[in-house]
Amino acid sequence: MTRSSKALTGLAVAGGVGVGAVGIGVGTILTALVRSALTAAPPVDDGPDHLLDRPRATPERIAVRAADGNPINVLAYGPADGDLIVAAHGWTCNTRHWWAQINDFADTCRVVVYDQRGHGETPLGKTKLSTDLLGSDLESVLQAVVPADRRAVIAGHSMGGMSVLAWAANHPQSVERFARGVVLTSTAAVEIMQNLAVIPEGLPRFTRPLEYAVGRMIATTPMPLPHTTVSPKMAQYIALNTQARLAHVEFCDRMISECPAVARARWGAAMLDLDVWQGVLNLTVPTAVVVGTDDRLTPRKHSDAIAATLEEAGHLHEYLVLPHTGHMSNIEEHDAYDRLLTELLEKTTDRAQFIA
């Protein structure tokens, strides 16, 4: 029996209801979710988005091994002496997630992207997956790609933002050594599963005790998500927004469908008890927070809390709230996102002040 099915059975026993009633509740929730996705307005077909084209330049592959010896696929675009940007993608994505930023910045900047474990060309490895491991892998990447006298703007999206926070929590001495600034994009520091907004509102009251278990089941079940005629509608509902461009929906759907089911499920389980709040407290460099108002996976309440804490500590560079934008904010609103990156680069120095 999986942890998700145990959770559902436990709910049935604790609530004094039969397993059949639990099944009805789960079915009600899943049916409403699929219906909401399939009946939503279609994406806006306004032609291709050329910032999402494959980057023209051939990237440099940088050999990096994690602390446990697992190889990490690291790609570097742009001149070696340019301003350095290091970017960590989110759950079910890969290095393609950053193509808009690579195409915008790689003519003058050094843009380094890498595949998280089990995503893209980085193997899952044998080490038990955890948020601590996300931070450790980022530390390995930074040690390999940031010269001794340089610093980088470090951006993380979703699980990549959690990687940045886990890194800051567990490697506080590295924050000012490697980071001139940080961008936390559509992410969370605590209680991600407890605050999902994927399940539609207005369902019968008896389904409410089951919502957490259903969210957990969706996140941790290793079921393939093939690219089909239906999958773009699901991707748009869950990861983008009701006014998304068709080019963005198709780009994200294809990327998500390529993530191995086992990696998706195991990382989903690893994030169930997320708590990297110490990382927020340890970010002592200018830090921007970005979120879309329609983000269902990491709703705005997460970013509100992170931004408020950073502002109180005097480290908030900007809190960018993007209207009518879903979870894929740096893709959906890449112009605004890239403006923020440009300003952060202009207002910070790449000179290392704390050399290990």
Side-chain angles (χ1 to χ4, degrees):
M1 181 180 289
T2 66
R3 285 190 292 177
S4 298
S5 60
K6 287 180 180 178
L8 291 172
T9 303
L11 281 167
V13 174
V17 297
V19 174
V22 171
I24 292 172
V26 171
T28 299
I29 293 172
L30 294 177
T31 299
L33 193 157
V34 173
R35 183 187 301 116
S36 295
L38 297 183
T39 59
V44 179
D45 186 0
D46 58 354
D49 184 344
H50 292 298
L51 270 187
L52 297 181
D53 290 346
R54 179 180 295 276
R56 294 182 300 275
T58 300
E60 176 187 347
R61 291 185 177 271
I62 300 176
V64 178
R65 288 195 175 271
D68 65 351
N70 195 59
I72 302 175
N73 181 48
V74 181
L75 306 177
Y77 296 83
D81 60 351
D83 282 331
L84 185 58
I85 300 171
V86 178
H89 69 74
W91 186 50
T92 75
C93 298
N94 53 52
T95 57
R96 294 208 313 274
H97 179 87
W98 299 105
W99 276 6
Q101 285 66 53
I102 293 167
N103 284 324
D104 236 2
F105 288 95
D107 285 344
T108 58
C109 295
R110 181 75 157 175
V111 184
V112 177
V113 294
Y114 70 99
D115 284 322
Q116 305 265 20
R117 289 182 184 235
H119 297 70
E121 297 181 39
T122 296
L124 198 57
K126 297 181 179 180
T127 301
K128 181 180 179 181
L129 302 186
S130 66
T131 51
D132 286 348
L133 190 61
L134 289 173
S136 176
D137 285 353
L138 176 56
E139 172 75 4
S140 296
V141 171
L142 293 171
Q143 289 181 359
V145 305
V146 182
D149 61 342
R150 301 281 303 283
R151 298 191 299 172
V153 165
I154 303 172
H157 171 264
S158 191
M159 189 175 81
M162 299 166 202
S163 302
V164 175
L165 291 174
W167 164 74
N170 296 325
H171 303 272
Q173 74 286 351
S174 293
V175 172
E176 295 191 39
R177 160 63 190 94
F178 288 120
R180 61 193 283 186
V182 166
V183 184
L184 300 173
T185 313
S186 305
T187 195
V190 292
E191 297 184 341
I192 185 171
M193 292 302 300
Q194 293 85 343
N195 291 287
L196 290 175
V198 171
I199 296 173
E201 298 179 353
L203 294 180
R205 182 174 298 178
F206 76 89
T207 65
R208 292 178 186 171
L210 299 171
E211 290 183 0
Y212 172 79
V214 170
R216 178 172 177 155
M217 180 176 65
I218 292 171
T220 62
T221 300
M223 180 176 66
L225 298 177
H227 180 72
T228 68
T229 56
V230 174
S231 61
K233 298 290 291 184
M234 296 300 298
Q236 180 182 357
Y237 174 80
I238 293 173
L240 291 100
N241 78 97
T242 57
Q243 300 179 29
R245 296 175 61 181
L246 178 62
H248 296 171
V249 172
E250 291 181 340
F251 179 86
C252 293
D253 176 51
R254 289 186 180 278
M255 181 169 54
I256 293 168
S257 68
E258 292 175 6
C259 181
V262 171
R264 186 186 68 249
R266 288 184 61 186
W267 275 119
M271 293 186 289
L272 287 175
D273 300 318
L274 176 71
D275 186 354
V276 289
W277 189 258
Q278 186 60 46
V280 179
L281 304 178
N282 289 355
L283 285 176
T284 54
V285 296
T287 301
V289 180
V290 182
V291 70
T293 58
D294 299 342
D295 190 332
R296 298 179 188 275
L297 291 175
T298 52
R300 180 177 170 177
K301 64 176 67 176
H302 293 291
S303 292
D304 285 347
I306 293 171
T309 299
L310 290 168
E311 184 172 35
E312 184 176 357
H315 302 306
L316 181 66
H317 168 74
E318 181 178 348
Y319 185 19
L320 179 60
V321 179
L322 297 166
H324 309 300
T325 303
H327 187 62
M328 299 296 195
S329 52
N330 64 295
I331 294 174
E332 297 175 73
E333 293 293 339
H334 49 59
D335 289 348
Y337 190 85
D338 293 354
R339 173 198 59 77
L340 181 149
L341 277 177
T342 298
E343 292 179 354
L344 188 56
L345 287 167
E346 290 174 346
K347 294 181 179 180
T348 58
T349 176
D350 70 341
R351 297 297 98 184
Q353 299 174 19
F354 299 86
I355 300 178

